[in-house]
């Protein structure tokens, strides 16, 4: 039987959404003797991995039609039943020399299966009881009221105290919650509690991006100030680090090399590693972090499971947070009660005892919080009605309304230019951001940034005449190790005291570093930015701009992530049809990680 398509061009023209790489991957492993469907199954594997899935879920693929487009009359391909597909996948795996893997009803390339298998295996190894020492337990119990002075007499269950009491006795902790639920507040108390029990612990902080690392640094510093005021000993607080690193820097990624400074042979010199914004971790990055964890190490992951998953393949946080298997065991409940006085229900047979949930938002008690809840629940009608209501926090604009941009530019971006110092300019820049799901098109960030610059040029002509000008915000778009800048880092073009322009970047504690403009890595103007790039950031006011027509890129997790970047005000520029279609669509990532983790636990 011959190849279904003679060339990649022919394949692309026949199947909507296929890329040349999908064709070449399918050609590499295609077995003519297994029939034409084996080619389409291999196409599906590459196509799904390119769209963020770790694998193909054969139970979902069975009987479905992919790559169909009625507008262009592309008929796509309809797959056989699950039994037929599973048998075909197994035969492909048997003849691939180990390059393809079938695990139950998931079909993988070996690379991604190894990533998920490593994540499951290492988490199982790290997720162990960590008994408190005879000296540490009474010290922690004695000082517990200093960790939670305001809540020590609270009769109702306190999720923050429960999470801390659970974490001190475990090797792995997952702390999940939406914006304003106090994840870093609680995490700072986790670290302090661990140090009270064991003062010799070496702790490290990390986050997936430079911006997220900076925010974690700021949050930990704020939390430490509160703990100091409560009376936590100085020697404990000094052992809680104030500087978070990006995960790339933590791993020791080397330019032009696939080798990392830290791996299973050269693990981190750390006892406790805390990673914020864990929803941004793809499966490959998570596997590399876990490989570099020492055997005795303890891992704390913070994140919001409702946010967008990683740009790359996998949805690690969601796979680790499995509500049906989460709960506290008898020993956990006894430790939690003994330390915090909080009673929790015992769930026999629970395998996700490391999962801790924070649900009470201290930031989003108003309309933005209700709006975000409507979105993530998929309530399209309620969220739209709330957007149209008379609210001081939510504003709606018709998609063809252009006057709003001029007004918001005058209110938020013009003051950046008139700032007296780089510190003042950064503070004003962080007040507001325009968000869009796309880069291209009339509502994409490229066009929006050009529009902002043209509006600014009416008051500051150099904004459209020069590439670099005082007040231009920039975002780094690639990792650059020689300059110490990473994808997503935000900077400002600003003069020094002699008037020479530099690129300035925040380093925490209201301090800044400057970089010669000639040394800047790839970057772009960032008055407007894609929603994906905003994870780990927050602003007083965000303006969300959506395209005029629905598309597969729009989903409720995307809208939720955009809306929850705002602390005070959300402006939405969209039409009703596009909005409702997006709220009704969910992100779906195929992965066998949760099942691999369960299998690993059962066999250990």
């Amino acid at each position: 039987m011959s190849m279904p398509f003679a060339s990649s061009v022919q394949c692309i023209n026949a199947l909507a959404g296929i890329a040349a790489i999908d064709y070449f991957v399918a050609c590499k492993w295609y077995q003519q003797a297994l029939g034409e469907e084996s080619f389409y199954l291999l196409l599906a594997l590459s196509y799904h991995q390119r769209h963020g899935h770790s694998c193909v879920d054969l139970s979902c693929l069975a009987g479905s039609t992919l790559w169909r487009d009625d507008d262009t009359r592309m008929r796509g391909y309809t797959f056989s039943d699950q039994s037929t597909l599973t048998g075909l996948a197994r035969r492909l795996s048997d003849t691939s020399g180990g390059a393809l893997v079938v695990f139950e009803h998931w079909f993988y390339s070996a690379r991604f299966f190894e990533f998920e298998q490593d994540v499951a295996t290492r988490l199982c190894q790290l997720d162990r009881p960590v008994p408190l020492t005879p000296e540490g337990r009474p010290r922690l119990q004695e000082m517990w009221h200093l960790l939670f002075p305001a809540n020590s007499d609270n009769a109702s269950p306190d999720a923050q105290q429960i999470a801390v009491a659970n974490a001190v006795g475990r090797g792995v902790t997952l702390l999940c919650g939406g914006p304003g639920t106090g994840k870093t507040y609680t995490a700072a108390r986790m670290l302090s509690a661990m140090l009270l029990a064991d003062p010799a612990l070496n702790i490290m902080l990390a986050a997936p991006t430079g911006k997220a690392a900076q925010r974690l640094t700021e949050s930990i510093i704020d939390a430490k100030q509160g703990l100091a005021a409560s009376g936590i000993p100085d020697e404990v607080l000094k052992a809680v680090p104030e500087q978070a690193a990006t995960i790339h820097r933590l791993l020791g990624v080397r330019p032009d090399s696939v080798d990392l400074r830290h791996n299973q042979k050269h693990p981190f010199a750390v006892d406790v590693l805390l990673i914020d914004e864990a929803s941004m971790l793809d499966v490959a990055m998570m596997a590399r972090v876990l490989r570099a964890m020492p055997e005795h190490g303890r891992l704390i992951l913070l994140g919001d499971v409702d946010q967008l998953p990683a740009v790359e393949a996998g949805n690690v946080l969601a796979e680790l947070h499995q509500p049906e298997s989460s709960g506290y065991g008898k020993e956990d409940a006894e430790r939690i009660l003994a330390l915090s006085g909080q009673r929790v229900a015992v769930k026999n047979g629970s395998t996700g005892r490391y999962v801790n949930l924070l649900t009470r938002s201290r930031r989003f008690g108003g309309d933005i919080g209700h709006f975000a809840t409507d979105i993530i629940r998929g309530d399209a009608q309620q969220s739209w009605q709330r957007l149209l209501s008379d609210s001081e926090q939510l504003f709606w604009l018709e998609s063809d309304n252009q006057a709003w941009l001029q007004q918001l530019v005058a209110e938020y971006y013009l003051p950046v230019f008139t700032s007296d110092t780089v510190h003042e300019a950064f503070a004003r820049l962080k007040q507001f951001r325009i968000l869009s799901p796309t880069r291209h098109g009339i509502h994409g960030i490229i066009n929006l940034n050009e529009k902002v610059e043209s509006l600014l040029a009416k008051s500051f002509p150099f904004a459209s005449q020069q590439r670099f000008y005082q007040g231009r915000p920039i975002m780094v778009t690639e990792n650059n190790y020689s300059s110490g800048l990473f994808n997503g880092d935000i900077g400002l073009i600003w003069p020094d005291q002699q008037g020479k322009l530099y690129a300035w970047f925040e380093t925490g504690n209201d301090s800044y570093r400057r970089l010669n403009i000639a040394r800047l890595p790839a970057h772009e103007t960032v008055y407007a930015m894609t929603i994906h790039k905003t994870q780990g950031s927050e602003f007083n006011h965000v303006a969300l701009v959506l395209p005029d027509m629905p598309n597969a890129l729009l989903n409720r997790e995307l809208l939720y992530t955009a809306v929850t970047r705002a602390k005070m005000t959300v402006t939405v520029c969209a039409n009703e049809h596009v909005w409702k279609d997006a709220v009704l669509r969910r992100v779906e990532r195929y992965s066998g990680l949760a099942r691999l983790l369960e299998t690993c636990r059962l066999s250990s």
Side-chain angles (χ1 to χ4, degrees):
M1 187 176 293
S2 62
M3 182 79 69
F5 301 101
S7 69
S8 61
V9 173
Q10 189 182 88
C11 184
I12 290 167
N13 289 336
L15 302 174
I18 285 294
I21 185 64
D22 304 326
Y23 175 82
F24 290 118
V25 168
C27 288
K28 183 175 183 179
W29 305 113
Y30 176 52
Q31 297 289 324
Q32 290 189 12
L34 298 181
E36 189 176 82
E37 189 162 40
S38 68
F39 181 83
Y40 288 102
L41 181 55
L42 291 164
L43 269 184
L45 177 60
S46 176
Y47 173 84
H48 279 81
Q49 289 182 342
R50 191 165 52 83
H51 284 80
H53 304 275
S54 298
C55 56
V56 171
D57 187 330
L58 299 173
S59 66
C60 296
L61 187 65
S64 68
T65 300
L66 291 186
W67 313 306
R68 178 173 179 169
D69 187 337
D70 293 333
D71 293 336
T72 57
R73 297 185 179 180
M74 293 184 179
R75 301 175 66 180
Y77 181 81
T78 302
F79 288 88
S80 299
D81 60 89
Q82 183 177 342
S83 177
T84 300
L85 285 181
T86 301
L88 183 58
R90 293 192 184 282
R91 289 193 292 276
L92 283 169
S93 174
D94 291 341
T95 58
S96 70
L100 303 171
V101 176
V102 179
F103 170 66
E104 296 188 359
H105 57 86
W106 292 282
F107 184 40
Y108 289 85
S109 66
R111 177 169 173 263
F112 281 100
F113 182 73
E114 183 179 355
F115 285 144
E116 290 204 341
Q117 196 171 44
D118 282 359
V119 170
T121 301
R122 288 296 291 131
L123 275 174
C124 277
Q125 292 169 347
L126 292 173
D127 184 27
R128 66 204 184 280
V130 180
L132 297 174
T133 65
E135 301 81 16
R137 178 181 288 274
R139 186 177 189 222
L140 179 54
Q141 288 175 318
E142 180 184 351
M143 295 194 178
W144 189 268
H145 70 284
L146 300 179
L147 295 171
F148 296 95
N151 298 319
S152 57
D153 296 324
N154 193 340
S156 62
D158 185 335
Q160 293 178 331
Q161 291 198 57
I162 291 169
V164 172
N166 189 43
V168 295
R170 306 208 62 79
V172 174
T173 295
L174 186 62
L175 183 63
C176 296
T181 53
K183 292 187 294 294
T184 49
Y185 171 95
T186 306
R189 281 151 180 79
M190 281 182 182
L191 299 179
S192 298
M194 290 176 179
L195 286 165
L196 285 169
D198 185 355
L201 291 176
N202 178 31
I203 297 170
M204 294 171 62
L205 308 176
T209 67
K211 187 63 180 177
Q214 180 186 326
R215 275 202 60 207
L216 175 59
T217 295
E218 293 169 353
S219 298
I220 290 292
I221 290 172
D222 289 344
K224 285 178 64 174
Q225 291 173 350
L227 287 166
S230 298
I232 295 296
D234 289 343
E235 65 270 19
V236 171
L237 296 179
K238 286 179 181 178
V240 177
E242 294 187 353
Q243 190 64 48
T246 63
I247 292 176
H248 284 87
R249 185 173 296 169
L250 182 75
L251 286 167
V253 176
R254 297 170 176 172
D256 305 318
S257 173
V258 296
D259 295 326
L260 303 173
R261 187 172 294 109
H262 293 290
N263 49 42
Q264 52 267 56
K265 293 182 179 179
H266 301 96
F268 302 133
V270 67
D271 299 310
V272 180
L273 173 61
L274 185 148
I275 299 178
D276 196 11
E277 298 292 348
S279 63
M280 300 171 68
L281 288 172
D282 60 85
V283 67
M285 187 62 71
M286 188 66 188
R288 292 175 180 125
V289 168
L290 288 169
R291 289 168 184 168
M293 285 293 293
E295 294 297 324
H296 73 279
R298 299 162 73 174
L299 179 66
I300 301 173
L301 300 175
L302 315 182
D304 183 351
V305 293
D306 292 325
Q307 278 195 40
L308 281 167
V311 175
E312 303 298 331
N315 192 2
V316 175
L317 189 65
E319 290 292 296
L320 300 185
H321 169 251
Q322 296 290 322
E324 63 276 8
S325 61
S326 299
Y328 301 117
K330 182 180 178 181
E331 292 180 0
D332 305 314
E334 290 173 351
R335 180 180 63 257
I336 291 168
L337 178 62
L339 289 174
S340 68
Q342 304 290 316
R343 295 185 181 276
V344 296
V346 173
K347 185 175 180 180
N348 294 320
S350 170
T351 55
R353 293 157 60 179
Y354 57 81
V355 177
N356 306 274
L357 300 178
L358 302 179
T359 58
R360 181 187 171 195
S361 177
R362 290 158 173 80
R363 188 204 310 167
F364 288 133
D367 290 337
I368 294 178
H370 297 309
F371 188 47
T373 300
D374 292 339
I375 292 168
I376 207 63
R377 287 177 178 172
D379 195 332
Q381 182 61 30
Q382 178 62 32
S383 65
W384 182 252
Q385 289 303 315
R386 199 180 298 278
L387 186 58
L388 300 184
S389 65
D390 185 15
S391 169
E392 295 181 356
Q393 292 186 308
L394 304 175
F395 298 91
W396 170 72
L397 298 165
E398 295 184 50
S399 58
D400 59 354
N401 185 329
Q402 297 299 313
W404 66 271
L405 186 59
Q406 183 172 352
Q407 177 185 341
L408 291 175
V409 166
E411 182 178 353
Y412 290 105
Y413 288 145
L414 280 176
V416 174
F417 284 71
T418 58
S419 299
D420 294 327
T421 64
V422 68
H423 174 72
E424 183 181 337
F426 265 109
R428 288 176 170 175
L429 178 64
K430 289 188 285 188
Q431 297 296 305
F432 172 70
R433 201 61 47 90
I434 302 167
L435 310 183
S436 171
T438 60
R439 292 186 55 81
H440 303 285
I442 190 172
H443 300 303
I445 64 164
I446 295 174
N447 184 56
L448 288 168
N449 277 312
E450 290 175 352
K451 282 187 174 182
V452 171
E453 286 191 319
S454 67
L455 290 169
L456 289 169
K458 295 178 180 179
S459 301
F460 302 94
F462 56 76
S464 62
Q465 297 170 357
Q466 302 174 18
R467 182 183 177 195
F468 295 105
Y469 53 85
Q470 177 178 330
R472 179 193 173 201
I474 58 172
M475 180 171 62
V476 176
T477 57
E478 67 177 18
N479 294 330
N480 185 276
Y481 304 95
S482 63
S483 65
L485 295 174
F486 296 87
N487 189 357
D489 287 351
I490 302 290
L492 261 176
I493 305 301
W494 200 261
D496 65 1
Q497 292 181 342
Q498 287 71 44
K500 182 179 178 181
L501 290 178
Y502 286 89
W504 296 76
F505 294 87
E506 295 178 292
T507 58
N509 286 328
D510 293 334
S511 59
Y512 306 88
R513 58 170 294 210
R514 69 182 190 183
L515 186 73
N516 193 302
I517 287 174
R519 293 189 59 208
L520 268 176
H523 61 278
E524 61 188 15
T525 305
V526 72
Y527 298 107
M529 60 196 299
T530 60
I531 297 168
H532 278 90
K533 292 287 189 180
T534 66
Q535 289 179 274
S537 301
E538 65 179 23
F539 313 94
N540 284 350
H541 184 173
V542 300
L544 172 59
V545 183
L546 299 184
D548 289 329
M549 297 296 293
N551 66 58
L553 295 175
L554 301 180
N555 53 69
R556 71 182 65 163
E557 289 83 0
L558 189 81
L559 300 184
Y560 172 86
T561 300
V563 166
T564 54
R565 298 310 90 203
K567 293 189 289 185
M568 297 173 62
T569 309
V570 174
T571 297
V572 175
C573 184
N575 65 54
E576 181 178 2
H577 178 51
V578 169
W579 178 266
K580 289 184 175 180
D581 183 83
V583 173
L584 292 172
R585 185 181 291 112
R586 297 201 64 173
V587 170
E588 191 171 26
R589 290 282 177 94
Y590 297 142
S591 168
L593 177 57
R595 179 60 179 147
L596 281 166
L597 194 55
E598 181 183 355
T599 302
C600 181
R601 285 170 178 151
L602 291 173
S603 62
S604 61

